[in-house]
Amino acid sequence: MENGESGIRNFGVKQIAYPVLLILFLLFLFSACKSHNDNPVSQSFSIRVYVSDTFDNGSLDNIPVTLECGGIVYDKVTRGGFTRIDLDNPANCTLKVNFSNQAGTQNSEYIPSVIENLTLTGGNDIRIDIVRKSYLNPEGYDWKHLIYAYRGSNRGGVNQVWTKQPSRWIVYDPNNKLKKYPDPKNNDVFNNIMKGFDAIQEYTNGFIRAPSRDEVEIKYEGPNGGIDGSVYFMITDGNAWAADYANSNNEIYKSGAGAGPGDDTDTLSELVSSVQGGDNEAPNIVSIMMGTGKISDYDRIWGEFNYYKREPGSRIVLNGQYGHLYELRLK
């Protein structure tokens, strides 16, 4: 009987031991997997940063490129128009182009650029163009005056432009100046306003198409803030002004201007000023915004730059956290 009882006891122990060992084995596997997941393998990848000239699109060599990601700084310089940067893990980064770094010295002919909050996850090609100082400012004017004229005096250098064709063109005439003419759309006053609309088209290099006379509405009232989607002009008793209205994406959705009925240069300059976020009171610039009565080379350059070469919301910064005179670009 003793041997029988011993055999029964041994059989019972084995029945208990096998499930316990299986549970312990499964716990070991779970622990190993959890440990592995808590310490993921590094995800190494490469990006390339291509740098070119804003206006001629030519690739630029020997341009310093700095990428700052999570406290790690990568200093590079372009060769063949680009540089390659190897990263260990996806990160939120700041890209600085044409700032002197340990790999190269700033090219003083070009304005540096910065892109903040770049999320890099691999397979990224970053293409950025930088602008030659002498192209934007061939006469060597004070940069503050240029930014004042073509970006505004109180907007911090931000680019605000129309991104689509205005849907309406309106002339407001609350003082009934046009009613004294047999044809309110065919007289010296209205002809001058049409020249102002044509100047807008010339300034924006055709981005905004000037209307025909038939497309222009006349309202014998005040604008009262104007109508969204419109470029409007108010015939005043003599005061001149310009206004533009932009959304949170720095896209202009309404432009307004006003001048006296006999004021040729103010009519043109205020209308052009109203579609580019600038101010026509800036000093020392040879420009239609300054009352010259015709589009200048500066107007053509900056009109193309603001409307075709830079996205709404990009900024030219005179003095900021990255130094003096640089561009803060968007993704």
Side-chain angles (χ1 to χ4, degrees):
M1 290 296 296
E2 291 179 357
N3 289 337
E5 291 176 354
S6 175
I8 291 172
R9 285 195 299 269
N10 289 337
F11 178 74
V13 169
K14 289 180 179 179
Q15 281 186 315
I16 296 172
Y18 287 143
V20 170
L21 289 174
L22 179 61
I23 292 171
L24 290 174
F25 178 68
L26 292 174
L27 287 173
F28 171 78
L29 288 179
F30 176 77
S31 176
C33 290
K34 186 175 186 301
S35 175
H36 176 75
N37 290 332
D38 288 345
N39 298 281
V41 176
S42 175
Q43 301 176 34
S44 298
F45 62 92
S46 298
I47 66 166
R48 290 189 179 188
V49 180
Y50 293 84
V51 182
S52 61
D53 182 283
T54 293
F55 281 94
D56 68 20
N57 298 317
S59 60
L60 297 176
D61 284 341
N62 301 313
I63 300 296
V65 173
T66 299
L67 191 67
E68 300 176 3
C69 304
I72 301 174
V73 178
Y74 304 86
D75 284 338
K76 298 287 184 176
V77 67
T78 57
R79 299 281 187 254
F82 73 94
T83 188
R84 171 177 156 170
I85 302 175
D86 299 321
L87 300 171
D88 290 333
N89 282 301
N92 185 269
C93 306
T94 296
L95 177 68
K96 298 167 64 179
V97 177
N98 200 32
F99 291 83
S100 296
N101 62 26
Q102 293 185 3
T105 303
Q106 176 188 29
N107 185 327
S108 61
E109 294 182 6
Y110 285 87
I111 297 176
S113 279
V114 178
I115 303 179
E116 299 177 324
N117 300 317
L118 273 172
T119 300
L120 304 175
T121 58
N124 301 83
D125 278 347
I126 302 172
R127 299 182 182 274
I128 185 169
D129 58 277
I130 55 178
V131 64
R132 190 184 294 270
K133 295 176 183 176
S134 61
Y135 200 96
L136 290 182
N137 191 8
E139 301 297 326
Y141 290 117
D142 188 323
W143 283 98
K144 180 175 67 176
H145 296 161
L146 279 174
I147 294 170
Y148 188 134
Y150 295 105
R151 293 286 179 88
S153 60
N154 58 357
R155 294 179 173 87
V158 68
N159 189 33
Q160 293 184 331
V161 291
W162 283 85
T163 57
K164 60 184 179 181
Q165 177 72 11
S167 59
R168 299 176 71 174
W169 298 77
I170 305 171
V171 172
Y172 290 95
D173 184 16
N175 300 302
N176 299 317
K177 302 295 184 181
L178 296 175
K179 282 188 174 180
K180 69 178 184 178
Y181 297 99
D183 185 348
K185 288 189 177 182
N186 189 13
N187 52 73
D188 291 341
V189 175
F190 198 85
N191 291 346
N192 192 51
I193 297 170
M194 291 301 298
K195 289 179 183 178
F197 293 157
D198 289 339
I200 288 174
Q201 176 172 308
E202 186 177 358
Y203 171 78
T204 63
N205 196 20
F207 188 94
I208 297 177
R209 179 186 57 81
S212 66
R213 288 177 190 266
D214 290 340
E215 292 176 298
V216 180
E217 305 170 52
I218 297 177
K219 293 182 179 293
Y220 294 101
E221 59 192 44
N224 296 320
I227 298 171
D228 289 359
S230 71
V231 174
Y232 64 91
F233 182 82
M234 176 182 172
I235 304 172
T236 72
D237 279 330
N239 60 310
W241 54 271
D244 55 90
Y245 306 83
N247 61 24
S248 59
N249 294 320
N250 292 295
E251 300 165 328
I252 295 177
Y253 61 87
K254 180 171 58 177
S255 293
D263 199 330
D264 296 352
T265 54
D266 270 353
T267 297
L268 272 65
S269 64
E270 298 289 1
L271 276 169
V272 172
S273 180
S274 76
V275 299
Q276 51 99 64
D279 290 290
N280 62 330
E281 288 82 19
N284 303 326
I285 310 298
V286 181
S287 160
I288 191 173
M289 267 76 79
M290 307 310 112
T292 63
K294 62 180 180 179
I295 295 288
S296 72
D297 289 340
Y298 268 87
D299 296 324
R300 293 187 182 91
I301 291 167
W302 279 86
E304 181 182 4
F305 184 67
N306 287 342
Y307 266 88
Y308 289 93
K309 300 298 184 179
R310 286 298 180 266
E311 63 279 6
S314 66
R315 294 176 181 269
I316 298 177
V317 182
L318 279 178
N319 291 289
Q321 68 180 99
Y322 301 105
H324 173 72
L325 192 60
Y326 61 88
E327 286 195 85
L328 190 60
R329 304 289 297 279
L330 303 181
K331 298 178 185 179

